[in-house]
Amino acid sequence: FMDDLDTGRYASPRIQHRRQATALGISPLPAAFANGLFVLGYKDEAGWHALIDREIASARKMMQDGVKRGDIYAEFMRTAKRGRVDEGSEEAERLRAEREQVKEASAPKSLAGPAFDQRYAVPTGAAGFGPEDAPVVVVEFVDYQCPYCRKAHEQVLPTLREQYPDQVRIEIRHLPLEIHPSAAAAARAAITAGEQGKFVEFHEGLFSSERGALGFSTFVALAE
């Protein structure tokens, strides 16, 4: 682990994730896609429940029409939009301004509902949580020093994983922002741990560590 971390052997997945984010036009965080539906900004648990329940209903209808459970995500992607997302919303502007000022908002605004009639083509195959044939796939772009990413990890994702253990898969994409000096190293460490089959444990450990404590000694301690 330490050798791989020093040499950056597994830096390519992080670069690939950034390329995917660039192709989708993602800049402010947190950002996620649920079966290709774009969710920008922090969304509370109730909002995620409403979205996931709606997607499960759509998936059940597709299975009734003959689509295999494991093929549902691919079926959604078959008609999904190719290209960049529309980030011209007030929420996107707020997040950009917040990033530029390098300030942490005391209370994030509520996110207006996503456009449920539009899906975006988002590749899968990264490490994550949940069954690989889940009918709902949430692709989350994260920065380990992003306060809202941490908030979503601590307050929202655990309840989703508990309530939908067999219906939802959450895949993680790494998008460390330049304003967070340790985020890129943390992403490299998580990917490196994943090469030894320990991504989930390491991912949890990074978000459990104290803010600002993401350094080489932290990575080695988590690896041990």
Side-chain angles (χ1 to χ4, degrees), residues 7 12 21 47 56 66 86 109 115 122 150 156 162 164 172 185 193 209 221:
T7 61
S12 59
I56 289 176
D86 178 12
K109 298 177 182 178
V122 182
R150 178 185 289 265
V156 179
E162 180 180 355
Y164 304 100
I172 303 300
S209 62

Side-chain angles (χ1 to χ4, degrees), residues 156-170:
V156 179
L157 296 183
T159 60
L160 296 182
R161 290 164 57 189
E162 180 180 355
Q163 181 157 348
Y164 304 100
D166 193 46
Q167 301 291 336
V168 175
R169 175 169 176 77
I170 301 171

Side-chain angles (χ1 to χ4, degrees), residues 50-133:
L51 174 55
I52 290 176
D53 286 340
R54 185 178 302 190
E55 287 302 291
I56 289 176
S58 297
R60 287 173 176 165
K61 176 63 168 57
M62 292 167 67
M63 286 188 286
Q64 290 175 356
D65 292 340
V67 178
K68 294 182 179 179
R69 175 184 164 107
D71 295 336
I72 288 175
Y73 189 80
E75 181 64 18
F76 279 131
M77 293 299 98
R78 187 177 62 81
T79 56
K81 174 182 177 180
R82 308 285 168 175
R84 301 168 65 86
V85 300
D86 178 12
E87 288 195 340
S89 66
E90 292 183 2
E91 178 70 5
E93 292 300 325
R94 183 183 71 80
L95 290 171
R96 288 194 191 95
E98 193 171 283
R99 185 181 68 179
E100 292 171 358
Q101 296 172 5
V102 198
K103 292 182 179 179
E104 182 177 340
S106 58
K109 298 177 182 178
S110 299
L111 174 67
F116 289 105
D117 60 345
Q118 182 67 71
R119 298 183 189 274
Y120 297 89
V122 182
T124 58
F129 314 85
E132 293 185 357
D133 65 345

